[in-house]
Amino acid sequence: IDALGAHRVLCVLSTATCFAPRVPDRLEDIARICKEKKVAHVINNAYGLQSAKIMGRIDRAARVGRVDVFIQSTDKNFMVPVGGSIVAGFDKKLIEDISQTYPGRASMAPVLDMFLTLVAMGESGYLELLKKRKENLAFFKKRLAEAAKRCGERVLDTPANPISIAMTLDNLAIDQKRGPTYVGSMLFHRCVSGPRVVAKGVKKAVCGTEFSGYGSHIEAYPHSYLVMACAIGMTKTDIEEFVRRLEKVIKEVQKEQKRVKGCKEEQEKKAISHDTSASAVSKIKNSQIAEDGNNKSEKDF
């Protein structure tokens, strides 16, 4: 901000919810800077409405500094179809001004979905879902950690992230073509569509700019990992079934690893055997040539 000048900065965009192993930004510190520099502060709060911990951080940031608006997804927080978002803030007039920019030609489906969902579940129903989600988070981490240990992996420790969980996939590459992302594709084909795999050291160019560690939050994160969210609406039965399918996929990958390793070892043995046979044949030929030479010398003599 100081380098560019506050008048040239439209806003500071911070993140309250993100994929593990990344943790949320330091909202209070950012809010203080924005208040001091008189720069707008917008918070990406995609999953955060369902977490009292995250909402508490946003509330504290607004009290100690500046928070103009925070934006959350309706599908992630209210279990409605994808397509809507809620823009909220602490200044009623600002929210009214933002609502006036709505063009009026978009679909009203997100609004209707939200209305019907809230009427159906009511306040008590929604609060009960929030309570269950918090309980499920601890249960999910426990079950996932147990499965990871059995498979030779581990759950990454990210206590500051109350929504997302990540598990290492460091030992699950089959060959050059079938790396850690192969686990993600296998899960997808088994109707598990939420998790995503981030492979270590991937480089990708976007519009001429190359990114190292593409998909991760830093350039050189030391692990490949699978990341998933413990979101509202999930049940313990869902968690148990997901862990079962994940562990089954990992065991299939490990079985394929052993098969590929066995094939390579067999090929190496054949190559060594071929080299040994070729060497033996060469020695016999050389011996015969030497014997023929000696016989010829004796005859000439």
Side-chain angles (χ1 to χ4, degrees):
I1 294 172
D2 289 336
L4 295 173
H7 65 284
R8 298 183 63 188
V9 177
L10 179 63
C11 73
V12 172
L13 176 62
S14 62
T15 300
T17 59
C18 49
F19 291 120
R22 181 184 170 182
V23 297
D25 292 334
R26 291 154 54 185
L27 302 180
E28 295 94 328
D29 293 339
I30 295 172
R32 287 191 184 96
I33 293 172
C34 289
K35 183 178 181 180
E36 178 188 344
K37 303 297 183 181
K38 297 181 180 179
V39 173
H41 182 195
V42 177
I43 299 177
N44 171 14
N45 190 42
Y47 278 94
L49 204 58
Q50 60 194 279
S51 169
K53 188 175 182 179
I54 291 174
M55 294 307 296
R57 289 174 183 162
I58 293 175
D59 185 60
R60 286 193 299 274
R63 283 190 278 108
V64 302
R66 176 172 178 173
V67 174
D68 292 82
V69 294
F70 52 100
I71 305 167
Q72 36 275 311
S73 298
T74 54
D75 61 285
K76 294 177 177 65
N77 294 282
F78 294 98
M79 302 177 294
V80 297
V82 175
S85 62
I86 298 173
V87 180
F90 299 91
D91 184 338
K92 185 176 180 180
K93 186 178 184 306
L94 175 61
I95 300 302
E96 289 176 350
D97 289 343
I98 293 172
S99 68
Q100 294 301 315
T101 64
Y102 175 65
R105 291 187 294 274
S107 171
M108 72 166 290
V111 177
L112 184 60
D113 290 335
M114 272 291 295
F115 173 75
L116 293 175
T117 300
L118 293 175
V119 169
M121 70 172 61
E123 181 182 358
S124 60
Y126 187 68
L127 293 176
E128 182 63 23
L129 287 172
L130 295 182
K131 180 183 176 183
K132 287 182 179 179
R133 192 210 70 84
K134 188 175 180 180
E135 294 171 355
N136 287 342
L137 179 64
F139 179 77
F140 199 169
K141 285 184 176 180
K142 182 175 182 292
R143 285 288 185 269
L144 193 62
E146 292 169 351
K149 186 176 181 180
R150 288 192 293 268
C151 298
E153 302 291 346
R154 68 184 180 90
V155 171
L156 295 168
D157 185 26
T158 55
N161 192 325
I163 302 287
S164 185
I165 311 169
M167 174 185 134
T168 63
L169 296 178
D170 289 333
N171 306 304
L172 296 173
I174 297 173
D175 48 39
Q176 289 184 343
K177 291 184 178 180
R178 294 178 292 179
T181 55
Y182 188 62
V183 173
S185 65
M186 290 179 72
L187 285 171
F188 183 80
H189 284 293
R190 287 154 182 79
C191 300
V192 181
S193 59
R196 60 190 288 263
V197 174
V198 177
K200 181 176 70 173
V202 172
K203 292 184 177 181
K204 187 172 182 178
V206 179
C207 298
T209 301
E210 187 176 85
F211 293 88
S212 296
Y214 185 79
S216 187
H217 62 297
I218 57 175
E219 287 191 351
Y221 195 72
H223 301 285
S224 296
Y225 56 88
L226 175 75
V227 60
M228 61 227 84
C230 182
I232 189 172
M234 185 178 284
T235 66
K236 284 184 171 64
T237 302
D238 295 331
I239 293 169
E240 293 281 19
E241 180 61 21
F242 165 73
V243 173
R244 186 189 70 80
R245 294 188 192 186
L246 173 62
E247 194 165 1
K248 186 177 180 181
V249 162
I250 290 176
K251 286 180 179 178
E252 287 179 17
V253 169
Q254 290 173 336
K255 184 178 179 180
E256 180 67 7
Q257 283 178 319
K258 290 180 181 179
R259 189 193 69 79
V260 171
K261 184 179 179 182
C263 290
K264 285 183 179 179
E265 289 175 351
E266 188 65 27
Q267 289 174 354
E268 288 173 358
K269 287 179 182 178
K270 287 181 179 179
I272 293 171
S273 177
H274 181 269
D275 291 343
T276 303
S277 299
S279 177
V281 170
S282 178
K283 286 180 180 179
I284 292 171
K285 286 183 177 179
N286 290 336
S287 176
Q288 290 175 344
I289 292 170
E291 187 177 344
D292 292 343
N294 291 334
N295 292 336
K296 184 177 181 181
S297 298
E298 290 174 359
K299 184 178 181 182
D300 290 343
F301 179 76

